[in-house]
Amino acid sequence: MAGRVLATTLIALVFADVTLIGVALARYPAIWSEGGRSYVLYPTAAFGLYAVAAAVVWPARGPATSAAFGTALWWGAAGGAVSAIHLPLEDVATFSPSFQHEVDIALFLGLFACFVVPAVIVTRQTRSMAAGVLAAVGASLIAMLITVAAGFAFNFASIAHQESVLRGAFTHSGMHDEAAFTFVNSLDAAGTHLLEGPVIAALLGAIAAALTVAIHRSAVDRS
C-alpha cells in the first residue's frame, strides 16, 4: 500500500512539473526557439527516470519496503517545504550577507536532515541498511519534485525580479527574450536538482544507516 501511495505521489508531482514547463513554453516560446531546447530536455529526461522509479515502487511489498516508502513520503514533503521556503529567502529577502549565509546553511542542513532522519528511523525499525537508504532516496525524490514545482511557480511570480538578477548573464546568452532566459535558468537548475538530489540522499542515507546499525550493535554488545 505504501509503495502505491508513494508511486502515485511521484507521478502526480511529475505531471505538475511537466504542466508548469508546458505553461512556460506557451508563455515564452523563445525558450524553445532560441536554443533552450536542451534545457527543456534536461529535466524532461530526469522526469522519465522518476517515472521509472514510480513504476518500480508501485508493486513493492514487504514490511521493510513499506516502512521505507511510508516514512519517505512524509519526510520528502517536509524537505520540499524547506526548499520552497528557501527560494524566496535566498532570492528576494534583504538580509545582510552574513545573516543570509547563515540562513542558507540552516535551510540546506534542514533539507539534508529530511534525508538522514528517515534513513535512521527506518533502519532502526527494520534493522536493514538497505531499507534506510531506500527511505532517504524516496524522500529525496518527493522533495526534489516539490522543489522544482516551487521553483517554477516562484519564477512565474517574480519574473521582473528574475530578469533584474540575471541581466548580466542574459546579455551573454545569445537569447533575445529576457523573460524566456529566466525560465531557461530555472530549467537548468531543475535538471540539476532532480539528478543530484537522489545521489546526495543515497550517500547521506548510507552513512546514517551504517552509523545506526553500528550504534545498535555497540549497544547490544555492551548489554
Side-chain angles (χ1 to χ4, degrees):
M1 181 63 180
R4 292 189 176 187
V5 173
L6 180 60
T8 301
T9 304
L10 288 173
I11 292 300
L13 288 170
V14 166
F15 180 79
D17 287 346
V18 171
T19 298
L20 288 170
I21 291 177
V23 172
L25 289 171
R27 290 180 64 174
Y28 314 123
I31 294 173
W32 189 262
S33 63
E34 293 188 14
R37 299 177 186 179
S38 61
Y39 293 101
V40 176
L41 297 176
Y42 182 23
T44 300
F47 291 140
L49 295 176
Y50 277 57
V52 170
V56 171
V57 165
W58 179 274
R61 296 287 187 275
T65 53
S66 293
F69 295 150
T71 305
L73 185 62
W74 296 108
W75 284 97
V82 169
S83 291
I85 292 169
H86 192 188
L87 285 167
L89 292 180
E90 180 183 37
D91 205 46
V92 300
T94 56
F95 300 136
S96 67
S98 60
F99 185 64
Q100 180 67 60
H101 183 63
E102 293 172 358
V103 170
D104 290 341
I105 291 175
L107 290 171
F108 274 122
L109 290 176
L111 176 60
F112 293 156
C114 291
F115 304 155
V116 170
V117 173
V120 172
I121 291 173
V122 172
T123 301
R124 290 186 63 184
Q125 287 178 344
T126 65
R127 299 290 183 261
S128 168
M129 286 181 56
V133 174
L134 194 60
V137 173
S140 75
L141 297 178
I142 295 292
M144 292 303 101
L145 288 171
I146 293 174
T147 299
V148 168
F152 290 161
F154 182 69
N155 193 67
F156 286 130
S158 62
I159 190 70
H161 176 74
Q162 299 299 320
E163 290 176 4
S164 175
V165 170
L166 296 170
R167 189 150 291 145
F170 169 70
T171 59
H172 298 92
S173 68
M175 294 184 67
H176 301 90
D177 187 323
E178 197 167 7
F181 177 75
T182 68
F183 210 90
V184 166
N185 182 73
S186 292
L187 289 167
D188 186 35
T192 300
H193 280 79
L194 290 167
L195 295 177
E196 291 184 355
V199 175
I200 293 171
L203 292 173
L204 293 176
I207 293 170
L211 288 174
T212 301
V213 170
I215 291 170
H216 174 72
R217 287 176 179 172
S218 177
V220 170
D221 291 341
R222 287 197 303 268
S223 61

